[in-house]
Amino acid sequence: MVAASVILPAPPAHAFDTNKAAQYAERWVVDSQYDPTLDGKVRNPDFKSYSNDCTNYASQVWLAAGVAMRFNASQAAYEWWYYNGDSLYFLTHSGQSSLSWRENTAFVTSQVGGWGADFTAMNMTQQYTPALPGELYEYDHGTGDGWSHLSVAIGWTSSYDYPQIGPRGTFTGDYMNQHTRDRQHAPWNWGYLNQWDTFIKANMRARIVGI
């Protein structure tokens, strides 16, 4: 017997607002509990923070940009939601968020299949990237864990100082924000630039998850 083909749900027409994405990403990027020099900044208290928080942060940014939550999708892998206590509908769900809201691989599966997101391969050495503000950089750190981290594209600069890069910290190119180890305006390939192990460095990869 030949298995019936699976018909995936059509992605909705999107209106991804890059300005709102960048504004949200800048407002809620860091928490002073992780770095006391950050002048009392906090993550958004309307959302739970997780020990691995990069995907939770990316989900919040995409929600702010206009990506709609999805519940009880015909394909469970494409669900994407967060329960904030405002809707009775969420009482039918167990837990506070869908796996795709807070876990990298599930997020990408959900957004590519359910919202029509796509990938652009990157060279880890390039300075400028085609990412739009609010789009995501996805990373394989070269340590055998596969695609395991997301950061948010914010913008670019021709001359910028980031303390942990180089003898004077100056770089040219695109920069990103991220959670887990909170960073603001770090080079988009920060991990690559700081990796001293040549074997790991040779196996690092990145791609854009874009709309």
Side-chain angles (χ1 to χ4, degrees), residues 73-112:
S74 58
Q75 300 293 318
Y78 301 140
E79 285 202 346
W80 182 70
W81 54 268
Y82 184 89
Y83 171 45
N84 59 12
D86 294 334
S87 171
L88 291 176
Y89 187 89
F90 282 104
L91 298 180
T92 65
H93 291 77
S94 61
Q96 193 173 25
S97 60
S98 65
L99 181 65
S100 57
W101 184 274
R102 64 186 186 273
E103 195 274 326
N104 172 71
T105 302
F107 173 92
V108 171
T109 298
S110 172
Q111 300 300 357
V112 170

Side-chain angles (χ1 to χ4, degrees), residues 13-30:
H14 38 267
F16 191 93
D17 191 319
T18 57
N19 290 327
K20 289 182 178 179
Q23 289 168 6
Y24 186 97
E26 291 283 73
R27 173 66 180 85
W28 301 111
V29 59
V30 291

Side-chain angles (χ1 to χ4, degrees), residues 121-186:
M122 305 293 296
N123 182 322
M124 294 298 294
T125 64
Q126 68 189 87
Q127 294 174 314
Y128 293 99
T129 79
L132 299 175
E135 293 188 327
L136 307 176
Y137 298 114
E138 186 180 26
Y139 303 93
D140 177 343
H141 291 305
T143 54
D145 296 322
W147 300 105
S148 60
H149 180 60
L150 293 170
S151 71
V152 180
I154 298 299
W156 64 273
T157 180
S158 59
S159 180
Y160 190 81
D161 184 74
Y162 192 76
Q164 294 168 299
I165 299 295
R168 296 185 61 187
T170 300
F171 76 91
T172 297
D174 286 0
Y175 51 87
M176 57 78 172
N177 291 355
Q178 69 172 37
H179 275 192
T180 298
R181 181 166 293 180
D182 297 359
R183 300 190 188 282
Q184 185 172 24
H185 293 187

